[in-house]
Amino acid sequence: MAFNLDSKVPEGPLAEKWTNHRFNLKLVNPANKRKFKVIVVGSGLAGASAASSLGEMGYNVDCFCYQDSSRRAHSIAAQGGINAAKNYPNDGDSVRRLFYDTIKGGDYRAREANVYRLAEVANDIIDQCVAQGVPFAREYGGLLDNRSFGGAQVSRTFYARGQTGQQLLIGAYQSLSRQIAQGSVKMHVRSEMLDLVMVDGHARGIVVRNLVTGEITRHAADAVLICTGGYGNVFYLSTNAMGCNVTAALQAYKRGAGFANPCYTQIHPTCIPVASDHQSKLTLMSESLRNDGRVWVPKKKDDDRAPNDIPEEERDYYLERRYPSFGNLVPRDVASRAAKERCDAGHGVGTTKLAVYLDFADAISRLGEDVIRARYGNLFQMYEKITAENPYKVPMRIFPAVHYTMGGLWVDYNLQTTIPGLFCLGEANFSDHGANRLGASALMQGLADGYFVAPYTVSDYLANHGAMDADKKVTTSHAEFDKVEGEVRARIDKLMAIKGTKSVDHFHKRLGLIMWENCGMGRTAEGLKQALVEIPKVREEFWKDVRIPGDVAEFNPELEKASRVADFLDFAETMCHDALTREESCGGHYREEHQNEEGEAQRDDVNFVNASVWEYMGEGAAPELTKEELIFENVKLTTRSYK
């Protein structure tokens, strides 16, 4: 059956929607808040900020993460900055402009009301983080400094050198730690959610495996928040931490939560190129580097000269040539496709010829090495450590790679999924970035959802649906917990019983190659149909021949990986179905059949101004599609141009 999607977008002028909506949301009496329990799955920026905020409000919170500390959440890897429209540089920024740039950057495939709210609360995020002691960079006069990022002609990105995510996560972590010390938040580390428990159609708990002991436990609550990040590791090689996975979101999807726009994958243009078949991860070089670095390739094909031996007149600064208004600061999807086009045309550099140069010679000459070192020193150090090349002396080599995922669980304006009582925050939901996320907006969304949105909307749900009376509470003795825990144990036993000959990584790599070649930077109907033939073959072989050493009741990393790869094998098909049915190019979704004469993405605003929301129909069955039509009342749909 198709979903009945109600976005719950409030009536009224765009700039007043959130203010009016907050007033109309029901509240929970302070004395009653301690009668409710909330589960938060994930403790990155979205999870830690939500858990600490709800704990501060008086709710009892159980927070789960698979790392040994929430400080190891992948949010720590974000480098370049966080957007907000404080307009400190006085260059014409505003909430309205941040809203417009985000809508345009997402290629007009995001919900207006959600994006405006994100832009609106962004300034509060900066104030909150400064109060927590986050050491943002400051300019000479003492104000917080800003730098530029792709897709904007103003400087609105606040930063802490090249480690902004780490500093913001430490701020959220200290807030979380305060609530843990006070007893309002109970932290469960090295614990992975393996399934969702529903009672009478509402989310009422989760089943978890302790990754150290192997113990399976069940946990009940009045609401569940999924804050588990993105699914880029379906491609195997990505900039994500190796543990990043789709498991929590996928299990929610299998229990009835709609999954929106799963094909929307962000390819980041500024990554260190692949160096070996044995490589298991790619390393991101922050987009902030494109502030001072110039991207170029040799004009001559197959030019093997060292970059410093190629004279200026023989260099093609192709982003500056093709997009003079934005130059090197075009959005990520545009820069990524342009790099691929140059390499496909024979102008790539390095041993694989799948790289372009990011050159800081002009900036060092103009500003001095000390200034560049102050801005990007840790990033330059990271690059040299990995490549053994000094980027102060020779240009960096970069190439696009899988990074962020804009798709996620469908949520309404309240961040609630199609399952009542199940909320989804941050990268795990679909709501704010359309078909392409602008740089420095991921940290903004995670903290906006956790600090400033979920505390209101979760309270409204609990006020309307929460059971304060003890005799009405759902506990872990409920029959549904028995049923779901039994299913989890059966899945694990099935994996352990295979006793095959091939490693988990063998199957993950095969899946990743299929996805990169057919559902990666460029997609065709033929390739996607081929992927839908190949993925079930890999999955069938996986369930017959995967080798998982060790035992269930112990620390077993291979079992962890096997469970996650099994989920990726299921989820990859939904991604390909989504990419196949969206017969247009928009943002990071580039269908090669739909491009203009200049090779730019060609949208279809007649048939696809919508979010594609998929419903799980059972093992082996194709998912069913429902569309949420996107209404644009404040932004005119135009061809996206950065020239």
Side-chain angles (χ1 to χ4, degrees), residues 478-494:
H478 194 283
E480 280 299 313
F481 281 89
D482 293 335
K483 175 177 174 290
V484 174
E485 182 181 332
E487 292 171 355
V488 167
R489 291 183 182 277
R491 276 203 305 270
I492 293 173
D493 290 343
K494 184 179 178 182

Side-chain angles (χ1 to χ4, degrees), residues 38 42 65 135 147 176 192 232 251 324 363 367 372 431 449 461 517 584 606 608 615:
V38 179
C65 71
R147 57 187 176 199
L176 182 63
E192 184 165 27
Q251 297 309 320
L367 301 170
I372 300 302
S431 68
D449 288 354
Y461 170 79
E517 290 184 344
E584 65 165 351
V606 175
F608 292 101
E615 181 177 6

Side-chain angles (χ1 to χ4, degrees), residues 573-584:
E573 284 191 272
T574 303
M575 287 183 67
C576 292
H577 279 295
D578 189 38
L580 184 60
T581 57
R582 186 168 284 278
E583 290 275 2
E584 65 165 351

Side-chain angles (χ1 to χ4, degrees), residues 67-259:
Q67 299 94 347
D68 60 356
S69 165
S70 58
R71 282 186 62 178
R72 294 187 185 274
H74 188 56
S75 301
I76 201 172
Q79 298 166 343
I82 177 172
N83 288 330
K86 282 188 172 291
N87 196 33
Y88 286 159
N90 198 28
D91 56 359
D93 201 8
S94 64
V95 169
R96 179 86 184 188
R97 190 176 295 278
L98 174 54
F99 155 72
Y100 175 75
D101 286 346
T102 306
I103 285 281
K104 177 183 175 183
D107 220 349
Y108 306 94
R109 292 295 180 264
R111 192 189 288 149
E112 271 192 348
N114 287 65
V115 177
Y116 191 89
R117 178 176 62 189
L118 176 65
E120 185 180 0
V121 304
N123 289 348
D124 294 333
I125 296 171
I126 303 303
D127 294 340
Q128 168 92 359
C129 293
V130 169
Q132 291 173 338
V134 173
F136 287 121
R138 294 181 180 269
E139 50 89 46
Y140 182 75
L143 287 177
L144 301 183
D145 198 14
N146 292 104
R147 57 187 176 199
S148 299
F149 255 63
Q153 291 181 303
V154 297
S155 295
R156 62 163 67 102
T157 302
F158 296 78
Y159 66 97
R161 296 186 74 187
Q163 51 185 236
T164 313
Q166 178 179 355
Q167 298 301 330
L168 292 173
L169 187 62
I170 290 172
Y173 174 75
Q174 69 184 18
S175 296
L176 182 63
S177 298
R178 179 173 181 270
Q179 297 308 313
I180 294 170
Q182 291 187 350
S184 60
V185 175
K186 183 178 180 181
M187 195 71 210
H188 303 261
V189 300
R190 302 298 287 149
S191 301
E192 184 165 27
M193 170 186 163
L194 295 183
D195 216 331
L196 175 73
V197 180
M198 294 171 57
V199 177
D200 298 328
H202 288 243
R204 284 293 179 258
I206 61 175
V207 174
V208 170
R209 180 173 183 268
N210 184 301
L211 299 181
V212 176
T213 67
E215 181 186 8
I216 305 294
T217 56
R218 47 175 84 174
H219 303 266
D222 299 290
V224 177
L225 280 61
I226 303 292
C227 312
T228 51
Y231 47 86
N233 278 351
V234 69
F235 292 89
Y236 186 69
L237 285 177
S238 80
T239 65
N240 292 185
M242 292 297 291
C244 292
N245 62 80
V246 75
T247 293
L250 183 76
Q251 297 309 320
Y253 169 58
K254 288 186 173 182
R255 293 293 177 187
F259 210 110

Side-chain angles (χ1 to χ4, degrees), residues 51-62:
S52 60
S53 296
L54 292 167
E56 178 74 30
M57 293 169 71
Y59 294 110
N60 297 299
V61 181
D62 277 8

Side-chain angles (χ1 to χ4, degrees), residues 394-421:
V394 296
M396 290 182 178
R397 286 175 292 109
I398 58 170
F399 193 68
V402 172
H403 181 50
Y404 190 89
T405 50
M406 286 74 65
L409 293 180
W410 183 89
V411 292
D412 61 19
Y413 191 69
N414 293 330
L415 303 183
Q416 188 169 214
T417 70
T418 53
I419 296 175

